[in-house]
Amino acid sequence: MLKKLLQFNWFTFLSMVALTVIGVIFIKSAGEARTVASLQDAWRLHAATALFGLILYFTLSFFDYRKILDLGSTPYFLISVILLVAVLAFGDKVYGGKRWLLFFQPSEVAKLAVILMVAKVFGRKRPTNTFLDLLHGLGLLALPALLILAEPDLGTALVLVPAILVMLLCARVCLRVLIPVLAACLLAAGAVLAAVHVAETTNNPQTKATIYRFLPLKEHQRARLRTFLNPEADPYGGGWNLRQAKISIGSGSLTGKGIGKGEQKFLGYLPPSVSMNDFIFCVLAEETGFVGASVVLALFGVLLLSGLWTALRCPDDRGRLTVIGILTLVFAHVYVNIAMSIGLMPITGLPLPFISAGKTFLVVLLAAFGIIQSVSLHREEES
Amino acid sequence: MKVSRWSILALAALFALGLAELALELHHVQVVDVAAFKADLAQQATRRMRKPGIRGRILDAKGGVLAESRARRDIVCDLSTFLKSGRLANTVTAVDDAITRLADALGFDRPASLTTERISRHMRTQSAVPLCVWRDLDETSLARFEERAASFPGFSVEAHAERIYPRGTFAAHLVGYTGRDRGTEDTDDVRMLAYELEMKGRAGLEAFYDDYLAGVAGAVRIPVDARGFKPRGAARDNIALGEMEERAAQDGLDLELTIDPDLQAIVEKQLVGVRGACVALDPRDGAVLALASAPTFNPNDFVPFVSAKRYRELSEDPDHPLLNRATAGLYAPGSTFKPVTALAAFRAGINPQDEYECTGVYKLGDMRLHCWNRWGQGPMDLHHAIEQSCNPYFARLGYLMGTNTLFRTAREFGFEAKTGIDYAPERSGSLVTPPFYPGLACQSAIGQGRLQVTPLQMAVECATLANGGKVFTPFLKKRADGSPPPEPVRTLTFKAEEIEYVRNGMRAVVEGLKGTGKAIGGLKVSCAGKTGTAQIGGGGKDTWIIAFAPYENPTIAVAMVVERGDSGGKTVAPRVHAILASIFGEKEE
């Protein structure tokens, strides 16, 4: 038992708990600017969800991760795919997208499923470095990603890509193909941005029409890219959210305005519909300043690096890949969420892990870190 | 193993670098550029609102109030109290309903102008500013509201300045009136919010001394939310941005006038029921003691806005009550111009003792200029010609001297130019308009021809003769105590005895046996004057008097015109007598 306590990754656990508590505090703070009672009390629900998630966390960490992968990952993956199909068929339409099935978002559930599935497939002892293996891995990514894209939820679909690609890279799956393909993808992304830039700055409507005939981007996606490329062009239209996010964060200065005293959220400049979800970092940075924002970044640093420590200590590929996949997903969320609110990336609707209000994502995250804890606790047992 | 420790370490480096980049960028936004973002926040989350200063009073020479600002009480609505989520129209409806409920509870009529469109426009353009619901309520109505105010959150009473003219029509043309207009001293790019349009002088001294009276509006910054409403509830309690004064309002100054209220009252009384004007000057410095035009109007009709109906009534009235005849009415001066002709005769080298036989008519070619005495007045010199206002005598003087000499002298008196009084509008009139024709000099010499003068110019002429040749600029704003007396703008280029000769003739008008203006006299002091009866087109006559007293050391010079009178001596002289008698008293027989 004492040995278990020593093997328990306290850094990951405590930083995770700290981030969740911070989440509860700032969901409460963002809720104070709202007039609807259910939103004012959203923090209670977040806290209750976190407690439920912690039960799941300890339950999963109690079991050997190998068993979880062997027995659980395939059914979990299949159920996720079924749920993703179901949400397209029966989901509630909210803000023009079908993302909700009853009380949860299947796309969040599916994120972990893909990671576990890929970890199981490529963590096997036999070699997995053929082109067919690569196709297998990409197929596991593409099936749920395309279903999520159909909701449509571009952000969630895209955020899976780096996690799975990093797992495939680490598992050295057919690197001779994977690396050139990755390079090509990066080039293509750059080319798309450049094309949008040309299309939006040209004075020739024909050029614009030609470019968009070959670029199947929806108008709101074009608008976001346009805003990202030139945020000053339209400060009251597409640039509004970014401008307000930057004013929130910037006016927080070094030490902030005090928890619960954020002017931007109270005055409604920070759009209330997103202040406790995708833009909660703005509330946090305004109220606690650079100091608070740095503390949060440091906690994420501890969470991610201590998680990687677990991966490093883990003697098998399955454990390492699982941990790497989960941590890369979390890192992608953190990076994209914060970067978009300071204009380093286009505005994308991605939550900040543990802090943004979002019950499904929180439960999935706690479950995922339960599995990381399981890797930490059970790494020396016989497989 | 497939997953090497190096790939895990590389991933760790990637995570660390990514987070470090975010920290660096956050440092830039929150520490390096913090001032810019704080400025952006202050810029978008506050609005500048105008707080006008209190407009100064207009006072007569004895401190009586002619115009002042009173506290007007309005019931206003704070829109943010009724803020509803969703479309703005929801909030408009909520405000609209609340006003109707309050109106029912108070038993007031809903103001007709307060339509939903008005409310909606107010909400879109200046939602942070209270909406005026009922304007200018009396004590009873206010008490009724105060009793129920607790059950109507969002409504309150606010006091704002409103112009009032306590004496109504008294000196109305002088005082003028105010209207409402946008502020002019907004130099900022962004227009300030304001509860109502700025009070602004529109006519008379209110307009002429507008800057002096108005003061300078102050500005306060008020916090607003993203929809432009005042923050309320938790938002108001938690935000650091408070209402702050950016610039204090400066109240306007009081304008003290030279107008003697008692004299002004007598003057106005003498003009009741006629069309005409009267100006009384202090010949020693040019101070305007009284200035009136009839018919007149009530400036309170213009506060805060003149109704279209009332304005049409006033502007289409054939008697033109809004016109200040004293400064902007143009008349032929008739015989009151003769003292100018008489002086010009000295310049032309004419001997005043030379006698001329008046036969009742002066002929020049086809032109006939009749004397008021059809039978002729017999032989007379200049003195008697002034006393008896002999047209043929003066027509002959005009013929002898020509227009050049006559008009040069007239210009010395200030004719054909604005007097420069601190008042607008003022007209300059004219001495002559082309074409010239033979006989123009003769007609001009008797104050007819093409002469166009204002009663104010006639008062200046009279004052100049009264003080022995000094032309002063008339003024209405009282000089500051201890300031040096004003210098005359000009001194007539005539010898003192020449001027005295004309003055003496004018005394004979009032006090001589055959004087045409004997009705002016009968005062305790000696008085001089000149009558005038100008023929105008259509057979009518504009009748004049200019007069000054006491003769030896004049303290008042009066010019009065009455349109469509019988003659200066009959129509106007008794009125001027009454005015002078109020100062000097009747002669005891």
Side-chain angles (χ1 to χ4, degrees), chain B residues 16 23 51 62 105 124 213 241 275 323 372 377 408 455 466 506 512 561 573:
Chain B
K51 290 270 151 120
K62 293 182 179 167
R124 274 179 279 116
L213 290 162
L241 296 162
R275 285 175 292 162
L323 170 69
W372 59 270
Q377 310 199 79
R408 202 180 124 201
M506 288 172 74
V561 64

Side-chain angles (χ1 to χ4, degrees), chain A residues 46-375:
Chain A
H46 193 76
T49 309
L51 288 179
F52 169 75
L54 274 179
I55 295 170
L56 201 59
Y57 177 90
F58 285 116
T59 311
L60 286 168
S61 62
F62 180 77
F63 291 105
D64 189 334
Y65 64 95
R66 301 172 188 92
K67 283 199 184 102
I68 297 171
L69 286 179
D70 286 344
L71 299 175
S73 58
T74 310
Y76 180 24
F77 185 78
L78 290 176
I79 290 170
S80 296
V81 171
I82 291 167
L83 287 173
L84 283 175
V85 175
V87 80
L88 286 178
F90 313 111
D92 301 322
K93 206 160 180 138
V94 179
Y95 293 125
K98 279 188 174 180
R99 297 174 191 176
W100 289 85
L101 195 63
L102 302 176
F103 54 88
F104 71 105
Q105 292 182 294
S107 56
E108 303 294 352
V109 177
K111 283 177 186 168
L112 183 58
V114 184
I115 290 169
L116 294 184
M117 196 65 201
V118 171
K120 179 190 170 189
V121 170
F122 295 94
R124 284 179 296 204
K125 292 226 168 81
R126 67 174 179 80
T128 50
N129 55 2
T130 65
F131 183 63
L132 260 180
D133 288 317
L134 178 61
L135 285 185
H136 187 187
L138 292 178
L140 288 176
L141 166 64
L143 179 59
L146 288 175
L147 286 168
I148 294 169
L149 203 58
E151 287 184 2
D153 187 350
L154 180 66
T156 306
L158 281 181
V159 80
L160 264 176
V161 175
I164 302 305
L165 285 180
V166 164
M167 289 175 81
L168 295 179
L169 276 173
C170 287
R172 303 190 208 179
V173 181
C174 194
L175 290 183
R176 66 182 187 281
V177 178
L178 183 54
I179 287 173
V181 166
L182 266 185
C185 285
L186 285 176
L187 277 177
V192 167
L193 266 187
V196 171
H197 179 70
V198 171
E200 294 300 336
T201 50
T202 185
N203 291 324
N204 184 348
Q206 210 174 351
T207 316
K208 188 172 172 174
T210 315
I211 289 174
Y212 281 128
R213 197 177 310 142
F214 295 104
L215 272 183
L217 289 173
K218 296 227 169 62
E219 180 49 42
H220 78 274
Q221 292 162 342
R222 273 190 229 170
R224 282 182 181 179
L225 288 176
R226 189 162 54 216
T227 304
F228 171 61
L229 290 167
N230 187 7
E232 314 297 327
D234 184 16
Y236 296 104
W240 174 264
N241 281 9
L242 172 59
R243 181 177 145 81
Q244 297 309 333
K246 283 187 89 167
I247 290 177
S248 300
I249 296 171
S251 67
S253 73
L254 187 63
T255 52
K257 299 171 185 173
I259 293 172
K261 306 263 184 211
E263 288 154 335
Q264 284 282 94
K265 73 168 191 225
F266 271 126
L267 297 176
Y269 289 100
L270 195 61
S273 56
V274 294
S275 64
M276 62 172 68
N277 305 315
D278 301 342
F279 281 84
I280 197 160
F281 184 76
C282 302
V283 177
L284 185 149
E286 183 182 4
E287 298 184 354
T288 59
F290 180 60
V291 171
S294 303
V295 167
V296 168
L297 283 180
L299 284 171
F300 276 118
V302 170
L303 182 83
L304 293 170
L305 297 181
S306 67
L308 284 178
W309 178 247
T310 292
L312 210 56
R313 302 277 300 272
C314 174
D316 63 46
D317 284 329
R318 275 183 290 182
R320 284 188 169 183
L321 282 176
T322 306
V323 174
I324 284 169
I326 291 168
L327 293 180
T328 308
L329 180 78
V330 168
F331 173 76
H333 268 273
V334 172
Y335 185 84
V336 171
N337 181 279
I338 296 176
M340 74 167 183
S341 54
I342 47 183
L344 294 179
M345 290 199 62
I347 300 287
T348 319
L350 277 186
L352 189 61
F354 301 107
I355 297 180
S356 286
K359 296 177 282 293
T360 319
F361 189 44
L362 181 62
V363 170
V364 170
L365 277 173
L366 287 166
F369 277 82
I371 294 170
I372 292 179
Q373 198 59 269
S374 165
V375 174

Side-chain angles (χ1 to χ4, degrees), chain B residues 362-368 438:
Chain B
Y362 179 80
K363 296 180 194 166
L364 186 73
D366 294 341
M367 187 181 74
R368 301 277 181 279

